[in-house]
Every structure is written in C-alpha cells, then in structure tokens.
Amino acid sequence: MKYRIQQEAREGTMLLNMGPSHPAMHGTTRIMLELDGEKVVNCELEMGYLHRGFEKICESKTYFNMLIYTDRMNYVSPLINNTGYVMALEKMLGIEVPERSQYIRVILNEFSRVCDHLTALAAMCMECGAFTVFLYMMKAREYIWDLMEQTTGARMTTSFIRVGGVRSDFPADWKETTQIAIDETRKVLKDCHGLMSKNKIFLNRTRDVAVVTPELAINYGWTGPCLRSTGVNYDVRKAFPYLVYDQLDFEIPLGERGDNFDRYMVRMQEMEQSLRMVEQCMAKIPKPSSPYSSDGRGLDPAEAISASRTKKPGQGIRLSPNLEGTEKGKYPGILAGKKYIVPPKEDTYTNIEGLINHFKFFMRGHGIRPPKGEVYFSVEGGSGELGFYIISNGTDKPYRLHLRAPCFHIVAALEELVRGHFVADIIPTFGSMNMIGGELDR
Amino acid sequence: MAISKEKVLEDLKQKFSDNILEITAQFGDDIICIKKEALLDIVNFLREEPYAFTMLLDLTCVDYMGEEERFEMVYHLFSLSNKLRLRFKTRLSEDDCKIDSLTPIFKNANWLEREAYDMFGVHFEGHPYLRRLFMYDGFEGHPLRKDYPLHKHQPKIPLRK
C-alpha cells in the first residue's frame, strides 16, 4: 500500500525523508515530507519503530511484575508513570495511602516533571543552536537525579511507587539533597531564561510558528503544557485532585498564542511551580513514625535462618540491594494494605507465617488481585494526562490494559501544524511537543 | 454554568432511550453501554452545549474472545467546562467487525482508530486512511487479539525494491 503522501503527491514537488534515524527525531520516528522548495506542502508521520508490545506483555504478567514495564513508557519521568499505574490499581482495590507516602509521591512526581520539562526544553533549545542551555539543563537534572538515586536506587527505571505506598522512605539526609537540587535548578532556570527567553534568534524560530488554537488543541485531545500554552486551563492536578495536590498552593501557567514559544514558556514557568510545590511538601510532610536508621548492622540471611531455629532473631536481615522487600522496622508508616505489599524479608526468612505470606504474594494466581471490573485513572504526566485503563477479570493478571499516552495525541497534530512552514520549523515544533518514543509507540 | 453528571445521564436516557442498553458505574466511573449505530448521534449530541464533551480522551478496543459479540469498543469522552468524564462502550461481533469512524468529529480519532485497526482488526467506516499504525505492511494478524500467541514469529518480508 502506498503511503498517503505518495498518493497525494503533486507534480514538481520533492519527497524527503526525515528519520527514523535522525538526531532531531528524539527517538525513532519517520517524518515524510513533500516539499516545494523549502516549504512543507504535505507531511506524514510513521511510527512504531519502538513498539515493544507493552499492552500485549501486560496481559501475561501479574500486576506486581508489570510495574517495571511502566518505567519504560516515559523514561524521562518514570515515577509519574509508576504513580499513575499504581493509583489506578489502588482505585480498584480501595486502598488509602498513608499521608507520608503521599507526600513522598508528590515530591518525586514534581521532581520528575521538572526532569521531563528540562529534557524536553534542553533538546528543543539545542536543536535551535543553544548548546549551552542543553548543558545547563542537563546539569540541573543531575542534581535532581542525585535525590532520586539516593531514594530509589536508580536514576531512570525506578519502580519505586508501590501499591499501598512507596518502596522505602527517604534517606536520612534527604532534605539537604532536595534543597541543593531546588537551588541549583532555580539557578539554571534563571540562566536559561536569560539566555533564551528574549533571545532574538530563538524568538524568530519559535514565535508564531506552528500556532495552535484552543479549539484545535481540544479537538486533537491535547493535554498538559501543550494544551495550556493555547490558554485552556486544564490540569489534572487541579481538575481531579489526587494525592495531596488539593492542599498545595500552586498556579497553572497559561500561554496566549499557542505557538512554539508559548509551549517553551509554559514549561519554564511550570518548573518553577513544581519547585514551589516541593518546598511546600518539605515543610508539610509528616514525621516518620519512628526515626530512620541505616546503621548497617544485621544478620546475613543464612545466619538469620539458623538463628530462627531456636528463637526469633532480634536483628534485621541484611539484604542485598538487589533483593526486593521492605525491612520491617526501617520503613514505618509508609505502606498500607497488608495484603498487597511485599512481605518483610525478616518474616520471610525467620518464621513460617512470613514464608507463607511471601509465597501467597508471589505465587501464580495469588498476589494482587483486584476485583472484577474496569477502571480509568489519570495523573498529570510530564506532557499531559497520563491515563491507565485497566480491565480486571478477578485474576492476578489484567485482562486488558491500555495506556493513554499524552504525547500520542500531541504528535498526531504535527502533520497539520508544519504544513506551510519551512523544513527548519519542523525541528522546534517537534521539539516543543516533547515526543517520548517509549510512550508514543508503547 | 456547570452541569451535573446526573443531569447528563438523565438527558441521555431521555433522548436515546432506544439506543442505550445500560448505564452503570464502577469504581466511581460512569459507563454507558450503547448500540453501535447510535455512536455518532450520541457523540454529536454530547458535543453541543451545555454538555460540551469536546475532547476524545481515549479510544480503545477489548477482545472478549469466546463471547457472542467479541469486540468491545471503549470511548472516553471528556468535557472541559464541566470537568466530566464518561465512558461509552459498544459491542461488535467478529463477522461484522465494523463501526462508524469518529474522524469527522475528533481529529485524534484518526490515529487512535488506526491503532485499534492495527491491533484488533476493527474496521472503521469513513476513516480516510485506515492503515496500520505501529506494525508494518505485511504483518500477519492483529497482535492484541486474544488468539494471537505472545511469541508468534512473523514471516520475513522482502526488501522493497
């Protein structure tokens, strides 16, 4: 079958291929262009180069196993994906999450959003020629990832948000790390504002390029910063508040014209709002029910097993960092719903009930089994409304899972937006949409 | 003036009493099962003020293999001014796997329907360019159908000349 662009090709025009392997394609997407000189007459997008069959795989994995797949959807802000998925399940299971872990979730979510915006803008600015901005923003991201790494143990594939709460509490010195991340990000934002926001070259390339009207944006199902850049005030955090967002004070930055520059500017302002929210959370977060200790003492699993033959060992188990499991006394008050959390390793190793609980959680046909039915839950992701539609048939595997990827709807508009513009305009337009391959192709 | 969810459902029931099979709610989400012939009418009706369901949030398909009407199309509509989400479902049988396309109303339906066609083999009548979205030309079968094995190998396709 011929491509649409081939069928519609006019005489005297040139067909040009951008991508799939092209530095400005942020992943692998193929843009087919019909050019008249340097003007884009027609455009068609081909995708699926990163299609990994996410939805098909999910149907054969248990709810617990699937969490790691959600990291790989929007790999720039995996914590938001985790949150979306886990909260959809919690909606089905009816779990109320402890307050402290709600705050932990919000802090990590907002930092992820900053990371997401930083990455999107860094790439967009770099493609417009501002390599300095790219490096500055990557630097800010590193400070944020310091906190993420300390807390979750990973930079990108975190799998940190769990059904019932979060996997672990913050490390002891998290407030200092967070403060450094906030301060450094603010500095970078200020520098980047100075470098880009009134930059003639940048303005020429982005102002009034690829203008989207509010009606068109809504018709395309745009959400997130791209929709707000057209002046439509819709944010899932305000419209359908989840976690503790209704207790936080933040504003929704809006654009006026809906062009590339507004999409840039809304993201810049949103980052500031996210940092504000993190600061509020730092002040408001409830104290842990018992102080965090990481003295490193503890028994090796083998020792614990032999000790348990005579009496219950009083010490914790020393776990390999690769091993999954909460350590009972270490992470108090951040997990709810006893049935749905990984049983503490102390119990698994040292008493029979704990061992049974462990098997009951991981055995096929057991573990997390939401009631029959279907649910849609969405959170505000980095580039828009990230929704999970899950159908459960009462077993430990989802019958069907569908991800509403925000950038899917946004990128769908590209074909229409670049028509009539120059080839060079495609680059900032595509950059301002924040296309994430993992999410788009799933 | 925002309109309440109950009012929307009430009006729908009155206007389309023949075409609405069931209105239920699950986990706080409202589900409206409709006949597939009425899809375009209902969507057009809800697009108007005061309902203003102007955004197609999501469109997907579910395969209930073994049931009489095998495929279920699921539409999520969203009203920005009223902050309401509604889920519409309609069933298709395997022999008559066709439904009206929403492309004249919503522009993002273009890709969403292509995805559903690619993954489930549902045909959308009136779609301007029904072509596989994620898979390539020459791919055999529809991967998200329940009878498509997880580890199925595809035949190699020759390089295009």
Side-chain angles (χ1 to χ4, degrees), chain A residues 96-104 164-170 285-292 326-337 341:
Chain A
E96 188 65 38
V97 180
E99 211 188 343
R100 184 169 168 89
S101 37
Q102 293 200 25
Y103 275 100
I104 296 177
V166 290
R167 188 185 158 189
S168 68
D169 208 326
F170 279 130
I285 188 166
K287 288 214 160 57
S289 48
S290 69
Y292 175 83
T326 54
E327 287 161 86
K328 227 177 178 178
K330 221 169 171 183
Y331 310 121
I334 51 163
L335 279 161
I341 60 173

PDB file of all heavy atoms in Angstrom, chain A residues 96-104 164-170 285-292 326-337 341:
ATOM      1  N   GLU A  96      -6.305   3.225  50.935  1.00  0.00           N
ATOM      2  CA  GLU A  96      -5.965   4.597  51.325  1.00  0.00           C
ATOM      3  C   GLU A  96      -4.481   4.612  51.689  1.00  0.00           C
ATOM      4  O   GLU A  96      -4.024   3.835  52.516  1.00  0.00           O
ATOM      5  CB  GLU A  96      -6.832   5.000  52.518  1.00  0.00           C
ATOM      6  CG  GLU A  96      -6.734   6.452  52.924  1.00  0.00           C
ATOM      7  CD  GLU A  96      -7.245   7.411  51.865  1.00  0.00           C
ATOM      8  OE1 GLU A  96      -8.256   7.087  51.192  1.00  0.00           O
ATOM      9  OE2 GLU A  96      -6.621   8.465  51.702  1.00  0.00           O
ATOM     10  N   VAL A  97      -3.740   5.499  51.052  1.00  0.00           N
ATOM     11  CA  VAL A  97      -2.288   5.502  51.220  1.00  0.00           C
ATOM     12  C   VAL A  97      -1.921   6.393  52.406  1.00  0.00           C
ATOM     13  O   VAL A  97      -2.509   7.456  52.575  1.00  0.00           O
ATOM     14  CB  VAL A  97      -1.624   6.025  49.929  1.00  0.00           C
ATOM     15  CG1 VAL A  97      -0.125   6.043  50.064  1.00  0.00           C
ATOM     16  CG2 VAL A  97      -2.033   5.155  48.770  1.00  0.00           C
ATOM     17  N   PRO A  98      -0.949   5.982  53.242  1.00  0.00           N
ATOM     18  CA  PRO A  98      -0.533   6.825  54.364  1.00  0.00           C
ATOM     19  C   PRO A  98      -0.076   8.204  53.902  1.00  0.00           C
ATOM     20  O   PRO A  98       0.453   8.345  52.795  1.00  0.00           O
ATOM     21  CB  PRO A  98       0.637   6.060  54.975  1.00  0.00           C
ATOM     22  CG  PRO A  98       0.493   4.673  54.512  1.00  0.00           C
ATOM     23  CD  PRO A  98      -0.228   4.710  53.223  1.00  0.00           C
ATOM     24  N   GLU A  99      -0.258   9.176  54.775  1.00  0.00           N
ATOM     25  CA  GLU A  99      -0.028  10.550  54.356  1.00  0.00           C
ATOM     26  C   GLU A  99       1.425  10.793  53.981  1.00  0.00           C
ATOM     27  O   GLU A  99       1.723  11.490  53.019  1.00  0.00           O
ATOM     28  CB  GLU A  99      -0.467  11.506  55.459  1.00  0.00           C
ATOM     29  CG  GLU A  99      -0.979  12.821  54.908  1.00  0.00           C
ATOM     30  CD  GLU A  99      -1.239  13.837  55.972  1.00  0.00           C
ATOM     31  OE1 GLU A  99      -1.340  13.459  57.146  1.00  0.00           O
ATOM     32  OE2 GLU A  99      -1.331  15.025  55.620  1.00  0.00           O
ATOM     33  N   ARG A 100       2.331  10.229  54.763  1.00  0.00           N
ATOM     34  CA  ARG A 100       3.738  10.482  54.483  1.00  0.00           C
ATOM     35  C   ARG A 100       4.118   9.978  53.089  1.00  0.00           C
ATOM     36  O   ARG A 100       4.824  10.643  52.347  1.00  0.00           O
ATOM     37  CB  ARG A 100       4.632   9.824  55.534  1.00  0.00           C
ATOM     38  CG  ARG A 100       6.098  10.150  55.307  1.00  0.00           C
ATOM     39  CD  ARG A 100       6.967   9.748  56.472  1.00  0.00           C
ATOM     40  NE  ARG A 100       8.366   9.804  56.108  1.00  0.00           N
ATOM     41  CZ  ARG A 100       9.141  10.876  56.217  1.00  0.00           C
ATOM     42  NH1 ARG A 100       8.656  11.986  56.680  1.00  0.00           N
ATOM     43  NH2 ARG A 100      10.409  10.832  55.857  1.00  0.00           N
ATOM     44  N   SER A 101       3.606   8.827  52.706  1.00  0.00           N
ATOM     45  CA  SER A 101       3.973   8.358  51.374  1.00  0.00           C
ATOM     46  C   SER A 101       3.270   9.152  50.283  1.00  0.00           C
ATOM     47  O   SER A 101       3.784   9.267  49.169  1.00  0.00           O
ATOM     48  CB  SER A 101       3.745   6.863  51.193  1.00  0.00           C
ATOM     49  OG  SER A 101       2.622   6.429  51.836  1.00  0.00           O
ATOM     50  N   GLN A 102       2.121   9.747  50.611  1.00  0.00           N
ATOM     51  CA  GLN A 102       1.505  10.645  49.617  1.00  0.00           C
ATOM     52  C   GLN A 102       2.420  11.832  49.344  1.00  0.00           C
ATOM     53  O   GLN A 102       2.598  12.241  48.200  1.00  0.00           O
ATOM     54  CB  GLN A 102       0.164  11.143  50.121  1.00  0.00           C
ATOM     55  CG  GLN A 102      -0.870  10.045  50.227  1.00  0.00           C
ATOM     56  CD  GLN A 102      -2.273  10.595  50.250  1.00  0.00           C
ATOM     57  OE1 GLN A 102      -2.523  11.688  49.748  1.00  0.00           O
ATOM     58  NE2 GLN A 102      -3.183   9.841  50.801  1.00  0.00           N
ATOM     59  N   TYR A 103       3.002  12.366  50.421  1.00  0.00           N
ATOM     60  CA  TYR A 103       3.912  13.499  50.236  1.00  0.00           C
ATOM     61  C   TYR A 103       5.167  13.072  49.489  1.00  0.00           C
ATOM     62  O   TYR A 103       5.662  13.792  48.620  1.00  0.00           O
ATOM     63  CB  TYR A 103       4.270  14.119  51.591  1.00  0.00           C
ATOM     64  CG  TYR A 103       3.260  15.129  52.049  1.00  0.00           C
ATOM     65  CD1 TYR A 103       2.289  14.801  52.973  1.00  0.00           C
ATOM     66  CD2 TYR A 103       3.262  16.410  51.532  1.00  0.00           C
ATOM     67  CE1 TYR A 103       1.341  15.717  53.379  1.00  0.00           C
ATOM     68  CE2 TYR A 103       2.320  17.341  51.931  1.00  0.00           C
ATOM     69  CZ  TYR A 103       1.363  16.990  52.858  1.00  0.00           C
ATOM     70  OH  TYR A 103       0.433  17.903  53.241  1.00  0.00           O
ATOM     71  N   ILE A 104       5.670  11.888  49.832  1.00  0.00           N
ATOM     72  CA  ILE A 104       6.856  11.396  49.121  1.00  0.00           C
ATOM     73  C   ILE A 104       6.541  11.284  47.630  1.00  0.00           C
ATOM     74  O   ILE A 104       7.322  11.689  46.769  1.00  0.00           O
ATOM     75  CB  ILE A 104       7.297  10.028  49.691  1.00  0.00           C
ATOM     76  CG1 ILE A 104       7.729  10.190  51.143  1.00  0.00           C
ATOM     77  CG2 ILE A 104       8.439   9.448  48.869  1.00  0.00           C
ATOM     78  CD1 ILE A 104       8.103   8.903  51.830  1.00  0.00           C
ATOM     79  N   GLY A 164      -0.024   0.685  47.694  1.00  0.00           N
ATOM     80  CA  GLY A 164      -0.079   0.889  49.139  1.00  0.00           C
ATOM     81  C   GLY A 164       0.865   1.943  49.648  1.00  0.00           C
ATOM     82  O   GLY A 164       0.812   2.304  50.801  1.00  0.00           O
ATOM     83  N   GLY A 165       1.744   2.438  48.816  1.00  0.00           N
ATOM     84  CA  GLY A 165       2.663   3.478  49.285  1.00  0.00           C
ATOM     85  C   GLY A 165       3.873   3.608  48.397  1.00  0.00           C
ATOM     86  O   GLY A 165       3.740   3.680  47.178  1.00  0.00           O
ATOM     87  N   VAL A 166       5.030   3.668  49.005  1.00  0.00           N
ATOM     88  CA  VAL A 166       6.276   3.720  48.237  1.00  0.00           C
ATOM     89  C   VAL A 166       7.195   2.629  48.755  1.00  0.00           C
ATOM     90  O   VAL A 166       6.979   2.077  49.827  1.00  0.00           O
ATOM     91  CB  VAL A 166       6.956   5.091  48.351  1.00  0.00           C
ATOM     92  CG1 VAL A 166       6.178   6.147  47.609  1.00  0.00           C
ATOM     93  CG2 VAL A 166       7.145   5.492  49.790  1.00  0.00           C
ATOM     94  N   ARG A 167       8.224   2.347  47.984  1.00  0.00           N
ATOM     95  CA  ARG A 167       9.047   1.211  48.365  1.00  0.00           C
ATOM     96  C   ARG A 167       9.827   1.479  49.647  1.00  0.00           C
ATOM     97  O   ARG A 167      10.020   0.585  50.458  1.00  0.00           O
ATOM     98  CB  ARG A 167      10.017   0.885  47.233  1.00  0.00           C
ATOM     99  CG  ARG A 167      10.736  -0.396  47.518  1.00  0.00           C
ATOM    100  CD  ARG A 167      11.798  -0.735  46.530  1.00  0.00           C
ATOM    101  NE  ARG A 167      12.722  -1.654  47.172  1.00  0.00           N
ATOM    102  CZ  ARG A 167      13.864  -2.019  46.653  1.00  0.00           C
ATOM    103  NH1 ARG A 167      14.229  -1.536  45.500  1.00  0.00           N
ATOM    104  NH2 ARG A 167      14.652  -2.833  47.289  1.00  0.00           N
ATOM    105  N   SER A 168      10.332   2.686  49.837  1.00  0.00           N
ATOM    106  CA  SER A 168      11.091   2.965  51.040  1.00  0.00           C
ATOM    107  C   SER A 168      10.978   4.438  51.372  1.00  0.00           C
ATOM    108  O   SER A 168      10.556   5.240  50.548  1.00  0.00           O
ATOM    109  CB  SER A 168      12.555   2.591  50.849  1.00  0.00           C
ATOM    110  OG  SER A 168      13.137   3.467  49.920  1.00  0.00           O
ATOM    111  N   ASP A 169      11.398   4.748  52.561  1.00  0.00           N
ATOM    112  CA  ASP A 169      11.350   6.144  52.973  1.00  0.00           C
ATOM    113  C   ASP A 169      12.550   6.875  52.369  1.00  0.00           C
ATOM    114  O   ASP A 169      13.464   6.269  51.820  1.00  0.00           O
ATOM    115  CB  ASP A 169      11.383   6.216  54.494  1.00  0.00           C
ATOM    116  CG  ASP A 169      10.670   7.456  54.993  1.00  0.00           C
ATOM    117  OD1 ASP A 169      10.756   8.472  54.290  1.00  0.00           O
ATOM    118  OD2 ASP A 169      10.027   7.398  56.043  1.00  0.00           O
ATOM    119  N   PHE A 170      12.517   8.203  52.495  1.00  0.00           N
ATOM    120  CA  PHE A 170      13.663   8.989  52.055  1.00  0.00           C
ATOM    121  C   PHE A 170      14.891   8.642  52.893  1.00  0.00           C
ATOM    122  O   PHE A 170      14.759   8.249  54.050  1.00  0.00           O
ATOM    123  CB  PHE A 170      13.364  10.486  52.253  1.00  0.00           C
ATOM    124  CG  PHE A 170      12.543  11.093  51.173  1.00  0.00           C
ATOM    125  CD1 PHE A 170      11.417  11.836  51.482  1.00  0.00           C
ATOM    126  CD2 PHE A 170      12.901  10.950  49.841  1.00  0.00           C
ATOM    127  CE1 PHE A 170      10.656  12.416  50.491  1.00  0.00           C
ATOM    128  CE2 PHE A 170      12.137  11.532  48.849  1.00  0.00           C
ATOM    129  CZ  PHE A 170      11.018  12.262  49.178  1.00  0.00           C
ATOM    130  N   ILE A 285       5.443  17.764  55.153  1.00  0.00           N
ATOM    131  CA  ILE A 285       5.479  16.297  55.229  1.00  0.00           C
ATOM    132  C   ILE A 285       5.477  15.836  56.685  1.00  0.00           C
ATOM    133  O   ILE A 285       6.206  16.370  57.510  1.00  0.00           O
ATOM    134  CB  ILE A 285       6.689  15.748  54.439  1.00  0.00           C
ATOM    135  CG1 ILE A 285       6.635  14.236  54.340  1.00  0.00           C
ATOM    136  CG2 ILE A 285       8.016  16.193  55.050  1.00  0.00           C
ATOM    137  CD1 ILE A 285       7.573  13.658  53.314  1.00  0.00           C
ATOM    138  N   PRO A 286       4.582  14.884  57.030  1.00  0.00           N
ATOM    139  CA  PRO A 286       4.536  14.414  58.410  1.00  0.00           C
ATOM    140  C   PRO A 286       5.809  13.657  58.783  1.00  0.00           C
ATOM    141  O   PRO A 286       6.463  13.072  57.914  1.00  0.00           O
ATOM    142  CB  PRO A 286       3.326  13.481  58.434  1.00  0.00           C
ATOM    143  CG  PRO A 286       2.742  13.476  57.087  1.00  0.00           C
ATOM    144  CD  PRO A 286       3.607  14.224  56.164  1.00  0.00           C
ATOM    145  N   LYS A 287       6.129  13.687  60.039  1.00  0.00           N
ATOM    146  CA  LYS A 287       7.346  12.996  60.509  1.00  0.00           C
ATOM    147  C   LYS A 287       7.144  11.487  60.403  1.00  0.00           C
ATOM    148  O   LYS A 287       6.032  10.988  60.572  1.00  0.00           O
ATOM    149  CB  LYS A 287       7.606  13.380  61.959  1.00  0.00           C
ATOM    150  CG  LYS A 287       8.087  14.794  62.126  1.00  0.00           C
ATOM    151  CD  LYS A 287       9.071  14.887  63.284  1.00  0.00           C
ATOM    152  CE  LYS A 287       9.933  16.117  63.184  1.00  0.00           C
ATOM    153  NZ  LYS A 287       9.178  17.365  63.114  1.00  0.00           N
ATOM    154  N   PRO A 288       8.220  10.737  60.152  1.00  0.00           N
ATOM    155  CA  PRO A 288       8.078   9.280  60.157  1.00  0.00           C
ATOM    156  C   PRO A 288       7.766   8.805  61.563  1.00  0.00           C
ATOM    157  O   PRO A 288       8.172   9.429  62.542  1.00  0.00           O
ATOM    158  CB  PRO A 288       9.444   8.792  59.682  1.00  0.00           C
ATOM    159  CG  PRO A 288      10.366   9.911  59.912  1.00  0.00           C
ATOM    160  CD  PRO A 288       9.577  11.156  59.806  1.00  0.00           C
ATOM    161  N   SER A 289       7.017   7.690  61.633  1.00  0.00           N
ATOM    162  CA  SER A 289       6.554   7.267  62.952  1.00  0.00           C
ATOM    163  C   SER A 289       7.699   6.790  63.839  1.00  0.00           C
ATOM    164  O   SER A 289       7.594   6.802  65.043  1.00  0.00           O
ATOM    165  CB  SER A 289       5.482   6.190  62.817  1.00  0.00           C
ATOM    166  OG  SER A 289       5.921   5.204  61.921  1.00  0.00           O
ATOM    167  N   SER A 290       8.803   6.336  63.233  1.00  0.00           N
ATOM    168  CA  SER A 290       9.987   6.094  64.050  1.00  0.00           C
ATOM    169  C   SER A 290      11.192   6.507  63.216  1.00  0.00           C
ATOM    170  O   SER A 290      11.150   6.445  62.002  1.00  0.00           O
ATOM    171  CB  SER A 290      10.086   4.623  64.446  1.00  0.00           C
ATOM    172  OG  SER A 290      10.377   3.841  63.318  1.00  0.00           O
ATOM    173  N   PRO A 291      12.247   6.981  63.864  1.00  0.00           N
ATOM    174  CA  PRO A 291      13.345   7.550  63.085  1.00  0.00           C
ATOM    175  C   PRO A 291      14.018   6.509  62.194  1.00  0.00           C
ATOM    176  O   PRO A 291      14.094   5.330  62.538  1.00  0.00           O
ATOM    177  CB  PRO A 291      14.300   8.083  64.143  1.00  0.00           C
ATOM    178  CG  PRO A 291      13.929   7.373  65.393  1.00  0.00           C
ATOM    179  CD  PRO A 291      12.493   7.047  65.306  1.00  0.00           C
ATOM    180  N   TYR A 292      14.479   7.000  61.076  1.00  0.00           N
ATOM    181  CA  TYR A 292      15.119   6.131  60.099  1.00  0.00           C
ATOM    182  C   TYR A 292      16.486   5.723  60.623  1.00  0.00           C
ATOM    183  O   TYR A 292      17.239   6.538  61.133  1.00  0.00           O
ATOM    184  CB  TYR A 292      15.257   6.903  58.797  1.00  0.00           C
ATOM    185  CG  TYR A 292      15.995   6.178  57.724  1.00  0.00           C
ATOM    186  CD1 TYR A 292      15.340   5.260  56.926  1.00  0.00           C
ATOM    187  CD2 TYR A 292      17.341   6.410  57.501  1.00  0.00           C
ATOM    188  CE1 TYR A 292      16.021   4.592  55.947  1.00  0.00           C
ATOM    189  CE2 TYR A 292      18.028   5.750  56.518  1.00  0.00           C
ATOM    190  CZ  TYR A 292      17.360   4.837  55.746  1.00  0.00           C
ATOM    191  OH  TYR A 292      18.040   4.175  54.770  1.00  0.00           O
ATOM    192  N   THR A 326      10.539  -5.020  51.852  1.00  0.00           N
ATOM    193  CA  THR A 326      10.658  -3.975  52.846  1.00  0.00           C
ATOM    194  C   THR A 326      11.325  -4.569  54.059  1.00  0.00           C
ATOM    195  O   THR A 326      11.248  -5.758  54.312  1.00  0.00           O
ATOM    196  CB  THR A 326       9.280  -3.477  53.261  1.00  0.00           C
ATOM    197  OG1 THR A 326       8.527  -4.609  53.663  1.00  0.00           O
ATOM    198  CG2 THR A 326       8.574  -2.776  52.146  1.00  0.00           C
ATOM    199  N   GLU A 327      12.008  -3.736  54.780  1.00  0.00           N
ATOM    200  CA  GLU A 327      12.572  -4.200  56.035  1.00  0.00           C
ATOM    201  C   GLU A 327      11.741  -3.587  57.125  1.00  0.00           C
ATOM    202  O   GLU A 327      11.649  -2.379  57.251  1.00  0.00           O
ATOM    203  CB  GLU A 327      14.034  -3.794  56.110  1.00  0.00           C
ATOM    204  CG  GLU A 327      14.873  -4.641  55.185  1.00  0.00           C
ATOM    205  CD  GLU A 327      16.193  -3.977  54.892  1.00  0.00           C
ATOM    206  OE1 GLU A 327      17.110  -4.156  55.676  1.00  0.00           O
ATOM    207  OE2 GLU A 327      16.277  -3.262  53.893  1.00  0.00           O
ATOM    208  N   LYS A 328      11.170  -4.449  57.877  1.00  0.00           N
ATOM    209  CA  LYS A 328      10.077  -4.130  58.787  1.00  0.00           C
ATOM    210  C   LYS A 328      10.222  -2.800  59.522  1.00  0.00           C
ATOM    211  O   LYS A 328       9.463  -1.873  59.284  1.00  0.00           O
ATOM    212  CB  LYS A 328       9.974  -5.248  59.796  1.00  0.00           C
ATOM    213  CG  LYS A 328       8.585  -5.747  60.011  1.00  0.00           C
ATOM    214  CD  LYS A 328       8.688  -6.894  60.970  1.00  0.00           C
ATOM    215  CE  LYS A 328       7.348  -7.461  61.310  1.00  0.00           C
ATOM    216  NZ  LYS A 328       7.522  -8.609  62.214  1.00  0.00           N
ATOM    217  N   GLY A 329      11.220  -2.736  60.407  1.00  0.00           N
ATOM    218  CA  GLY A 329      11.295  -1.566  61.268  1.00  0.00           C
ATOM    219  C   GLY A 329      11.835  -0.341  60.567  1.00  0.00           C
ATOM    220  O   GLY A 329      11.767   0.774  61.056  1.00  0.00           O
ATOM    221  N   LYS A 330      12.369  -0.546  59.391  1.00  0.00           N
ATOM    222  CA  LYS A 330      13.121   0.519  58.750  1.00  0.00           C
ATOM    223  C   LYS A 330      12.218   1.535  58.056  1.00  0.00           C
ATOM    224  O   LYS A 330      12.554   2.699  57.957  1.00  0.00           O
ATOM    225  CB  LYS A 330      14.029  -0.124  57.715  1.00  0.00           C
ATOM    226  CG  LYS A 330      15.415   0.495  57.673  1.00  0.00           C
ATOM    227  CD  LYS A 330      16.291  -0.400  56.828  1.00  0.00           C
ATOM    228  CE  LYS A 330      17.616   0.224  56.536  1.00  0.00           C
ATOM    229  NZ  LYS A 330      18.403  -0.657  55.654  1.00  0.00           N
ATOM    230  N   TYR A 331      11.123   1.061  57.554  1.00  0.00           N
ATOM    231  CA  TYR A 331      10.266   1.939  56.769  1.00  0.00           C
ATOM    232  C   TYR A 331       8.872   1.989  57.375  1.00  0.00           C
ATOM    233  O   TYR A 331       7.921   1.454  56.815  1.00  0.00           O
ATOM    234  CB  TYR A 331      10.193   1.446  55.330  1.00  0.00           C
ATOM    235  CG  TYR A 331      11.522   1.175  54.719  1.00  0.00           C
ATOM    236  CD1 TYR A 331      11.844  -0.087  54.245  1.00  0.00           C
ATOM    237  CD2 TYR A 331      12.462   2.181  54.622  1.00  0.00           C
ATOM    238  CE1 TYR A 331      13.069  -0.332  53.682  1.00  0.00           C
ATOM    239  CE2 TYR A 331      13.699   1.940  54.067  1.00  0.00           C
ATOM    240  CZ  TYR A 331      13.991   0.679  53.593  1.00  0.00           C
ATOM    241  OH  TYR A 331      15.203   0.445  53.044  1.00  0.00           O
ATOM    242  N   PRO A 332       8.737   2.628  58.501  1.00  0.00           N
ATOM    243  CA  PRO A 332       7.426   2.574  59.155  1.00  0.00           C
ATOM    244  C   PRO A 332       6.453   3.597  58.585  1.00  0.00           C
ATOM    245  O   PRO A 332       6.843   4.670  58.148  1.00  0.00           O
ATOM    246  CB  PRO A 332       7.775   2.935  60.603  1.00  0.00           C
ATOM    247  CG  PRO A 332       9.003   3.780  60.482  1.00  0.00           C
ATOM    248  CD  PRO A 332       9.686   3.458  59.197  1.00  0.00           C
ATOM    249  N   GLY A 333       5.216   3.201  58.567  1.00  0.00           N
ATOM    250  CA  GLY A 333       4.157   4.160  58.255  1.00  0.00           C
ATOM    251  C   GLY A 333       4.144   4.689  56.837  1.00  0.00           C
ATOM    252  O   GLY A 333       3.672   5.780  56.586  1.00  0.00           O
ATOM    253  N   ILE A 334       4.700   3.947  55.884  1.00  0.00           N
ATOM    254  CA  ILE A 334       4.604   4.433  54.520  1.00  0.00           C
ATOM    255  C   ILE A 334       3.897   3.444  53.605  1.00  0.00           C
ATOM    256  O   ILE A 334       3.720   3.712  52.442  1.00  0.00           O
ATOM    257  CB  ILE A 334       5.978   4.767  53.918  1.00  0.00           C
ATOM    258  CG1 ILE A 334       6.924   3.609  54.092  1.00  0.00           C
ATOM    259  CG2 ILE A 334       6.555   6.021  54.523  1.00  0.00           C
ATOM    260  CD1 ILE A 334       8.107   3.696  53.205  1.00  0.00           C
ATOM    261  N   LEU A 335       3.501   2.307  54.132  1.00  0.00           N
ATOM    262  CA  LEU A 335       2.809   1.334  53.293  1.00  0.00           C
ATOM    263  C   LEU A 335       1.492   0.936  53.951  1.00  0.00           C
ATOM    264  O   LEU A 335       1.431   0.725  55.159  1.00  0.00           O
ATOM    265  CB  LEU A 335       3.672   0.093  53.095  1.00  0.00           C
ATOM    266  CG  LEU A 335       4.755   0.198  52.026  1.00  0.00           C
ATOM    267  CD1 LEU A 335       5.802  -0.860  52.246  1.00  0.00           C
ATOM    268  CD2 LEU A 335       4.164   0.057  50.638  1.00  0.00           C
ATOM    269  N   ALA A 336       0.461   0.825  53.129  1.00  0.00           N
ATOM    270  CA  ALA A 336      -0.842   0.420  53.648  1.00  0.00           C
ATOM    271  C   ALA A 336      -1.302  -0.809  52.893  1.00  0.00           C
ATOM    272  O   ALA A 336      -0.787  -1.121  51.823  1.00  0.00           O
ATOM    273  CB  ALA A 336      -1.846   1.553  53.476  1.00  0.00           C
ATOM    274  N   GLY A 337      -2.299  -1.476  53.413  1.00  0.00           N
ATOM    275  CA  GLY A 337      -2.863  -2.620  52.701  1.00  0.00           C
ATOM    276  C   GLY A 337      -1.966  -3.827  52.797  1.00  0.00           C
ATOM    277  O   GLY A 337      -1.257  -4.181  51.868  1.00  0.00           O
ATOM    278  N   ILE A 341       1.263  -5.702  49.816  1.00  0.00           N
ATOM    279  CA  ILE A 341       2.663  -5.283  49.804  1.00  0.00           C
ATOM    280  C   ILE A 341       3.568  -6.491  49.948  1.00  0.00           C
ATOM    281  O   ILE A 341       3.166  -7.532  50.460  1.00  0.00           O
ATOM    282  CB  ILE A 341       2.957  -4.255  50.914  1.00  0.00           C
ATOM    283  CG1 ILE A 341       2.663  -4.838  52.286  1.00  0.00           C
ATOM    284  CG2 ILE A 341       2.174  -2.987  50.692  1.00  0.00           C
ATOM    285  CD1 ILE A 341       3.084  -3.923  53.412  1.00  0.00           C
TER     286      ILE A 341
END
